[in-house]
């Protein structure tokens, strides 16, 4: 049975609504879901490097065409290759959000799935919801898993930023 996933990368007009993924389950990691999307050859790609023993996303790209789905709140983009990359200075990092769309008592709603901090995308199951934040309501029927990525600016201490930059350079050398 196929897992239904809606996937979006903010900033590059990459939006796939209700993809049918047959090689993953709700227990697959975010990375496995992304790899399944890449395998469907949908003009989407990403790169990652090992950082502290875990892979981190460094760039994402998408070839937007006239046949592409337009994100629901975007202006009319022109066709073409788009990409965003995390800069070396660590002031910007890729962050992902997970949610589920479903029904409860006949009403359609979207509920966020929470995890403390941002676990590695290679470790966190798509369906994971930290028990600290509660569980999905009784009677909630999942229809679609939603996965959204965005490149965000963060504030780091100079010490942490220097350690990050050194690890980034080392990971790039190892490739």
């Amino acid at each position: 049975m196929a897992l239904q996933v809606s996937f979006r990368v903010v900033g590059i007009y990459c939006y796939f609504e209700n993809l049918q993924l047959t090689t993953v389950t709700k227990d697959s990691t975010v990375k496995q879901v992304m790899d399944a999307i890449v395998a469907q050859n949908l003009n989407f790609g990403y790169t990652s490097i090992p950082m502290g023993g875990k892979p981190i996303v460094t760039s994402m790209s998408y070839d937007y065409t006239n046949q592409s789905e337009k994100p629901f709140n975007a202006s009319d983009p022109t066709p073409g290759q788009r990409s965003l990359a995390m800069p070396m200075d660590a002031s910007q990092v890729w962050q992902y959000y997970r949610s589920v769309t479903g029904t409860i008592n006949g009403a359609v709603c979207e509920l966020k799935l929470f995890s403390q901090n941002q676990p590695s995308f290679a470790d966190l199951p798509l369906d994971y919801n930290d028990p600290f934040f509660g569980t999905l309501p009784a009677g909630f029927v999942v229809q679609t898993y939603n996965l959204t990525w965005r490149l965000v600016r963060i504030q780091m201490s100079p010490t942490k930023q220097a350690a990050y930059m050194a690890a980034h350079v080392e990971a790039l050398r190892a490739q």
Side-chain angles (χ1 to χ4, degrees):
M1 184 170 164
L3 182 72
Q4 188 164 288
V5 175
S6 288
F7 179 77
R8 182 172 186 193
V9 182
V10 175
I12 61 172
Y13 293 97
C14 179
Y15 180 61
F16 305 120
E17 187 174 26
N18 302 325
L19 286 173
Q20 301 298 314
L21 302 177
T22 58
T23 60
V24 293
T25 69
K26 66 184 182 78
D27 298 317
S28 297
T29 65
V30 171
K31 182 181 185 323
Q32 290 168 327
V33 170
M34 291 177 61
D35 290 344
I37 294 169
V38 169
Q40 284 196 2
N41 195 19
L42 297 168
N43 297 327
F44 166 74
Y46 77 97
T47 60
S48 65
I49 60 171
M51 184 81 59
K54 304 279 184 185
I56 63 165
V57 172
T58 55
S59 68
M60 293 200 202
S61 62
Y62 180 61
D63 188 10
Y64 186 90
T65 69
N66 288 327
Q67 289 72 44
S68 297
E69 291 181 66
K70 183 179 92 170
F72 51 88
N73 62 350
S75 59
D76 289 326
T78 56
Q81 180 71 33
R82 292 170 165 73
S83 64
L84 284 173
M86 184 175 77
M88 282 288 294
D89 68 4
S91 64
Q92 294 182 25
V93 296
W94 284 101
Q95 186 176 63
Y96 62 88
Y97 302 91
R98 297 165 304 115
S99 65
V100 290
T101 302
T103 58
I104 187 163
N105 298 327
V108 175
C109 58
E110 182 178 354
L111 301 174
K112 291 182 180 178
L113 296 171
F114 291 102
S115 57
Q116 290 187 1
N117 302 319
Q118 176 113 111
S120 171
F121 79 116
D123 295 336
L124 192 69
L126 185 63
D127 190 49
Y128 179 78
N129 195 43
D130 195 316
F132 175 80
F133 296 104
T135 58
L136 295 176
F140 183 80
V141 178
V142 174
Q143 294 174 331
T144 304
Y145 288 88
N146 308 299
L147 180 58
T148 302
W149 284 84
R150 65 179 66 210
L151 192 60
V152 297
R153 181 171 296 281
I154 61 170
Q155 182 67 42
M156 288 181 144
S157 71
T159 303
K160 194 167 195 167
Q161 187 170 9
Y164 172 84
M165 289 172 63
H168 196 161
V169 167
E170 183 61 33
L172 290 173
R173 284 186 184 144
Q175 287 184 328

